[in-house]
Amino acid sequence: MGRDSNDRASGLDAQLVRRIRRNQWTGAIVNLAPSAFWLGVFFLAPLAVMFFFSFGERGAFGEVLLAVENLGLQQYRRFFIPEDTSILVALWATVAWLIETAVPGIETLSATQPTPYVRLLFKSIGYGVLATVVSFAVGYPMAYYIGHIAPERYQNLLIVLVILPFWASFLVRIYAIQLLLSANSVLMSALAVLPFVEQGASLMYSQFAVLLGLVYIWIPFMILPVYSSIEEIDFTLQEAAMDLGADRFEAFYHVIFPQSKPGVMAGSVLVFIPSAGAYVIPELLGGTDSQMIGNFIASQFGSAGNWPLGAAGAFVLMGVMLLSIAAYQRGGGELG
């Protein structure tokens, strides 16, 4: 009897194991459980805490006040709306400031200035856009050369050269730019022969240095997606267009470039997002007029000790990133 009971139990166990293996949801749960746990504990939970903090207030000694009477949208209001003004006045002040910034010499359109946080946010977006445009202008020809013009036996070598900087530390690469742009460096000494460059001049701690750092660090993320798109293009279509009367530029613009557009859009998102939210690059290469929203957020969690305002700024920046991803997907891109 004991042996029969053990046999029946073993049979039931084996049958249960077979049912579990046949259930597709069981395999998915087992495979996803470790990554879901890691993502939940180390990403979603801290994100939820920071989101909760963004509705609180800073106490007299830097503590975060989260009592019911302290919760509200005051940090977001402080971020977007100047004191003693309405939402409409703040919106017009922001629009007027953007117009005045884009058109030098124009008359002052609004007596109210947007908050310094809003100005810093748009300044960071501007850096991101400029870095994206420059990365495209430099990276697209490189990707086109690697994917179409370069001999096939050299393509892998060129791709390795593109990703080679990633083998060095992020900080090491930033320090290398510091050495190049500092006074009396090899680069600046060579540029001193130009009439408009003074001897001993330095480009450090300037907006140019920040832009150069952003482009240098993130341009591989423009080159690689564009190269991937160009590699899949059938260039006989370009030849067909030229046979039908199009010149080389028209054939490229109307046939080749549209097919590489998915890579351009993906590269633009991959460059814009880290550039707009950069912290280390403006901290090490920029001056007081080159700080970005990432530096503001870090200061709120650090020296300023205002975690609720820093959390609100982080989620505003996150909203900008999500909007850029939404625009990318609306344009036909696919992430992942």
Side-chain angles (χ1 to χ4, degrees):
M1 291 294 292
R3 179 178 298 178
D4 292 340
S5 299
N6 292 336
D7 291 341
R8 282 196 299 270
S10 299
L12 291 174
D13 292 342
Q15 187 178 6
L16 179 61
V17 170
R18 284 196 297 269
R19 288 182 178 179
I20 291 175
R21 288 178 176 176
R22 290 173 184 172
N23 191 323
Q24 58 180 352
W25 293 108
T26 303
I29 292 173
V30 171
N31 290 327
L32 294 177
S35 57
F37 173 79
W38 187 271
L39 183 66
V41 172
F42 295 101
F43 177 71
L44 295 179
L47 197 65
V49 171
M50 190 170 66
F51 184 67
F52 188 49
F53 279 6
S54 69
F55 297 103
E57 288 184 343
R58 178 184 184 275
F61 301 99
E63 69 275 17
V64 181
L65 304 179
L66 297 174
V68 176
E69 62 271 15
N70 301 120
L71 297 178
L73 297 174
Q74 59 272 11
Q75 301 301 335
Y76 293 95
R77 179 180 178 84
R78 180 182 176 188
F79 190 96
F80 286 107
I81 304 175
E83 293 185 9
D84 303 324
T85 58
S86 64
I87 295 177
L88 291 178
V89 172
L91 181 61
W92 168 242
T94 302
V95 173
W97 176 78
L98 289 173
I99 296 174
E100 294 167 6
T101 303
V103 185
I106 194 172
E107 296 182 1
T108 302
L109 300 176
S110 174
T112 304
Q113 288 287 308
T115 66
Y117 318 122
V118 168
R119 296 199 296 268
L120 200 58
L121 176 64
F122 278 102
K123 181 180 179 180
S124 301
I125 294 174
Y127 270 118
V129 171
L130 279 176
T132 303
V133 171
V134 175
S135 296
F136 168 76
V138 177
Y140 192 96
M142 295 176 64
Y144 185 86
Y145 176 81
I146 297 173
H148 178 57
I149 300 176
E152 187 174 352
R153 63 180 181 274
Y154 294 133
Q155 287 184 356
N156 290 337
L157 174 62
L158 293 174
I159 290 298
V160 169
L161 293 178
V162 170
I163 65 176
L164 188 63
F166 290 116
W167 297 3
S169 168
F170 183 92
L171 286 176
V172 169
R173 287 180 280 160
I174 299 299
Y175 290 141
I177 297 178
Q178 284 185 333
L179 292 176
L180 285 176
L181 299 182
S182 60
N184 301 319
S185 66
V186 174
L187 176 63
M188 297 308 300
S189 298
L191 292 177
V193 300
L194 300 175
F196 52 85
V197 178
E198 298 181 2
Q199 185 70 35
S202 171
L203 292 176
M204 274 296 298
Y205 309 117
S206 64
Q207 295 180 352
F208 173 80
V210 173
L211 180 61
L212 178 64
L214 293 173
V215 172
Y216 169 67
I217 293 296
W218 304 121
I219 193 172
F221 290 98
M222 176 66 74
I223 296 175
L224 295 176
V226 174
Y227 162 76
S228 180
S229 293
I230 289 177
E231 194 179 29
E232 298 177 358
I233 294 176
D234 183 4
F235 281 88
T236 59
L237 297 175
Q238 184 183 27
E239 298 174 3
M242 295 176 66
D243 291 340
L244 294 174
D247 59 34
R248 185 172 296 276
F249 175 78
E250 290 175 334
F252 169 80
Y253 184 75
H254 293 288
V255 177
I256 301 302
F257 183 75
Q259 295 185 73
S260 65
K261 187 179 177 182
V264 173
M265 294 177 64
S268 298
V269 172
L270 292 174
V271 172
F272 171 77
I273 288 179
S275 296
Y279 163 72
V280 176
I281 294 175
E283 185 74 15
L284 296 180
L285 298 180
T288 55
D289 62 339
S290 303
Q291 298 297 289
M292 297 170 62
I293 189 69
N295 304 99
F296 159 74
I297 295 172
S299 68
Q300 296 305 307
F301 282 99
S303 58
N306 193 342
W307 287 28
L309 182 59
F315 275 92
V316 170
L317 179 60
M318 191 179 300
V320 173
M321 306 309 179
L322 292 176
L323 287 176
S324 65
I325 294 174
Y328 166 62
Q329 292 181 320
R330 186 177 179 82
E334 295 182 359
L335 292 175

